[in-house]
Amino acid sequence: MNKPPPRSPFHAFTSPDVGGVVQGAAALFWLPQAALLGLAVQGLASGQGFAAVLWPAAAILVLGLLRAGCEAWGARRTFVRARAQLSALRAQAVQSLAAGSPLDRSRAHSGEAASMLAEQAEALVPYLVRYQPARWRAMVVPLVILCAVAAFSWVAALVLLIAAPLIPIFMAVVGWRAKAASEAQMVEMGGMNAFLLDRLRGLATLRALGAVDATAQRLGDAAQSLRRRTMAVLRIAFLSSAVLELFSALGVAMVAAYVGFHLLGTLGFGTWGRQLSLGEGLFVLLLAPAFFEPLRELSAVWHDRAAGEAARESLDRLQRHSLPLPGANAVLTRAPVGGKGAALALHQLHFSWPGKPAGAQEGQQVFDGFELRVAAGEHVALSGPSGCGKTVLLSLIAGLIPASRGDIVIGGVTLGEHTAAGLRQRMAWMGQAPHVFAGSVQANVALGRAGVEAPQVTAAMRLAALEPVAQAHPGAALGEGGSGLSGGEAVRLALARIAVHAQADLLLVDEPTAHLDTETAERVADALVTLARGKTLIVATHDPVLAARMHRTVHLGKETMEQAA
């Protein structure tokens, strides 16, 4: 059953922490500073002279230093928290990817996943560091300033109250479009990265086919499409800033006009029945721009919001999978290994790819009540037409995908959520296209297994008949994808990986001789049979010569045909 992904740590930090609160409180220091400025100007206007400015100036300086200190401390704390949260999100996404089956058809491509984790995820930092504190200030600071202004003039407060809602309304309209544009940009970026990684892996093939120029042209078209989408996002971001500047300028201008005409005596209403003094009028006028300042900051980081939410949704998509990997989160326990291979029993095995409609017909299933018995140490070939389920059957036995129903018993232990990780320790897997990593031959054979040293690697390569190959000695360096080795040599390198896994007594091999010439296929078959002595071997193959060397052959027919999703 497909389990919902764990709750993202992003949702635990939707409100600002202490750092964001301190940053918001720092913005309120402007109220006493504005009051002190108004008081100083009022003292100068009343003829008190320079003495009326000294103590307000000193108080303004102290408040300014406090404000700067609070903002710096709050910004630093918010940044540290954001980086920690991003690391937690990345770790959770990677853990979720590892918990999903490698055969999941909805799984993100490696280039796309790398782009989401490395590039797109970084958009969360500006979201948390700039947007979240700015949103909190925009919710609190204008209300406090509005109350302070209303205490002196209800008309000025009414002007601010009317102008303020227009800004978020128009910004929300612009923001919806900005979010859609950011999501489209990130999808385009992930697709281009996946395309580039795929083509880099197949660069040798592209050169051989003379398709380098066509690939470069397509990559250039993708880059231009990404450029256009990026510019569209920037245009929308500038539009949101223009909307705020327009309404904030109108609001400040109207407050300034009212205060000016009121001090001149032209407008005598709107001040609770009394005349504003010069200091009070200046105080109201100084608070008007500060009223719109948090909204201006919010507008400046509005694009960070759109990009951050798009990045969060991208990371959430990485955590969704329709085929979980059995035993991915279970505690590893080593299964007992026998000396003559592992007996295998499949009983009433059912499997179909996810996404099939309810009441699907029998032909849409891969396996429906499949039965198989393999004795310990027996060598079995799986044959049948392409798409009949040979690879799926090997994957089910290996615990790479979960069966819908039925039992898979390996060496007397039933494969399940708590036993899959341990049972995999006694299995050796070789896929249709073994991947060769950039690094030494020894590193490619050992694959980081503990206790595998140079002598074991040399012995494994001898069993895989790789000793005569000059470029396959343990210290030789290989390129990504196996550059430096032929197709047959790469297959024998994969056989060496099996040979170095000494404790494995169940070998699962998928099409080891496909696309090989007759001589190379014979060498690979010899090496495989040699490695499988005393072990249980199940090999999926179309090669009748290799199948004839097995103890028996199991034919998979139309009743197990695999359906495309």
Side-chain angles (χ1 to χ4, degrees):
M1 181 179 295
N2 183 22
K3 297 181 180 180
R7 188 173 178 84
S8 170
F10 182 90
H11 299 282
F13 298 96
T14 53
S15 59
D17 67 340
V18 177
V21 173
V22 170
Q23 284 181 282
L28 296 176
F29 278 94
W30 175 241
L31 273 76
Q33 287 179 309
L36 290 169
L37 279 172
L39 184 63
V41 171
Q42 181 67 41
L44 289 174
S46 62
Q48 297 181 19
F50 187 70
V53 181
L54 290 178
W55 75 267
I60 291 173
L61 178 61
V62 172
L63 289 172
L65 293 175
L66 288 174
R67 178 176 181 176
C70 290
E71 288 180 347
W73 183 87
R76 178 175 178 80
R77 179 181 173 89
T78 303
F79 178 79
V80 172
R81 170 178 172 267
R83 296 305 308 185
Q85 182 180 348
L86 177 59
S87 297
L89 281 168
R90 280 175 167 156
Q92 188 179 77
V94 170
Q95 182 180 5
S96 181
L97 281 174
S101 169
L103 301 180
D104 189 353
R105 296 176 176 180
S106 63
R107 185 185 181 94
H109 297 291
S110 55
E112 183 181 4
S115 175
M116 290 179 179
L117 290 171
E119 298 175 353
Q120 299 179 27
E122 285 294 328
L124 283 173
V125 175
Y127 177 92
L128 297 171
V129 172
R130 297 191 296 193
Y131 171 74
Q132 286 282 17
R135 186 186 68 170
W136 190 83
R137 287 195 296 270
M139 294 171 59
V140 175
V141 174
L143 292 177
V144 176
I145 293 177
L146 186 66
C147 294
V149 171
F152 292 92
S153 172
W154 60 267
V155 170
L158 184 62
V159 170
L160 298 177
L161 188 61
I162 294 174
L166 296 177
I167 296 174
I169 290 174
F170 282 93
M171 285 183 63
V173 174
V174 175
W176 292 331
R177 179 57 185 159
K179 181 181 178 182
S182 294
E183 290 175 350
Q185 181 209 23
M186 290 193 173
V187 170
E188 188 85 19
M189 183 184 301
M192 189 182 74
N193 288 331
F195 172 80
L196 178 60
L197 180 60
D198 180 65
R199 295 310 184 269
L200 287 175
R201 286 174 172 172
L203 187 57
T205 304
L206 293 174
R207 285 177 175 172
L209 297 175
V212 174
D213 292 339
T215 302
Q217 178 64 37
R218 183 174 172 185
L219 182 61
D221 294 340
Q224 290 299 318
S225 177
L226 178 61
R227 179 188 62 81
R228 288 191 292 269
R229 291 191 182 277
T230 303
M231 294 306 298
V233 173
L234 292 177
R235 283 195 298 269
I236 296 172
F238 291 143
L239 179 60
S240 65
S241 298
V243 168
L244 181 137
E245 292 297 335
L246 173 63
F247 287 104
S248 62
L250 289 175
V252 172
M254 293 178 67
V255 171
Y258 167 77
V259 171
F261 283 113
H262 179 81
L263 293 177
L264 293 174
T266 305
L267 298 177
F269 62 90
T271 56
W272 308 108
R274 63 184 184 87
Q275 183 76 19
L276 289 178
S277 64
L278 178 60
E280 293 171 341
L282 182 60
F283 175 70
V284 171
L285 191 57
L286 288 173
L287 291 185
F291 176 84
F292 293 102
E293 184 62 28
L295 299 177
R296 184 177 288 106
E297 293 178 2
L298 185 63
S299 174
V301 298
W302 197 254
H303 172 66
D304 294 330
R305 169 189 174 274
E309 291 186 351
R312 180 195 62 184
E313 292 178 4
S314 296
L315 290 177
D316 286 343
R317 284 198 302 271
L318 288 181
Q319 300 180 38
R320 295 194 290 265
H321 47 72
S322 56
L323 277 178
L325 181 66
N329 299 317
V331 178
L332 180 62
T333 57
R334 187 173 298 277
V337 179
K340 296 182 179 180
L344 175 68
L346 278 63
H347 177 63
Q348 287 296 311
L349 189 66
H350 295 258
F351 177 78
S352 60
W353 292 109
K356 299 297 183 184
Q361 298 178 358
E362 182 179 354
Q364 293 177 308
Q365 290 183 324
V366 182
F367 294 106
D368 186 14
F370 184 75
E371 299 277 347
L372 179 64
R373 298 289 186 276
V374 179
E378 187 178 10
H379 297 174
V380 176
L382 302 177
S383 68
S386 297
C388 66
K390 299 187 295 297
T391 300
V392 174
L393 182 58
L394 291 178
S395 302
L396 287 166
I397 296 171
L400 298 180
I401 51 177
S404 304
R405 297 195 306 278
D407 295 322
I408 300 175
V409 182
I410 301 173
V413 179
T414 301
L415 180 69
E417 183 67 27
H418 300 291
T419 60
L423 286 173
R424 290 194 198 102
Q425 300 302 302
R426 66 185 303 178
M427 302 179 193
W429 170 274
M430 177 178 162
Q432 292 186 22
H435 184 74
V436 179
F437 300 93
S440 67
V441 172
Q442 179 173 336
N444 268 279
V445 173
L447 292 180
R449 296 187 182 99
V452 177
E453 303 296 340
Q456 291 93 326
V457 172
T458 302
M461 294 175 63
R462 185 183 305 113
L463 287 173
L466 275 174
E467 276 192 327
V469 181
Q471 63 270 31
H473 61 85
L478 299 175
E480 186 73 19
S483 58
L485 296 178
S486 66
E489 291 165 352
V491 172
R492 280 183 279 170
L493 181 69
L495 289 175
R497 293 172 176 172
I498 295 178
V500 83
H501 191 7
Q503 66 268 34
D505 60 348
L506 174 58
L507 311 184
L508 305 174
V509 183
D510 191 6
E511 298 287 359
T513 60
H515 313 299
L516 299 180
D517 59 80
T518 303
E519 182 180 356
T520 305
E522 185 177 355
R523 291 180 180 178
V524 169
D526 290 339
L528 180 61
V529 171
T530 302
L531 292 174
R533 288 175 182 169
K535 300 181 179 182
T536 303
L537 170 64
I538 302 177
V539 56
T541 182
H542 287 100
D543 186 356
V545 177
L546 176 61
R549 302 185 66 171
M550 301 295 106
H551 296 156
R552 65 185 172 103
T553 299
V554 175
H555 296 278
L556 303 182
K558 294 183 179 180
E559 67 275 5
T560 59
M561 286 296 290
E562 182 177 279
Q563 302 297 314

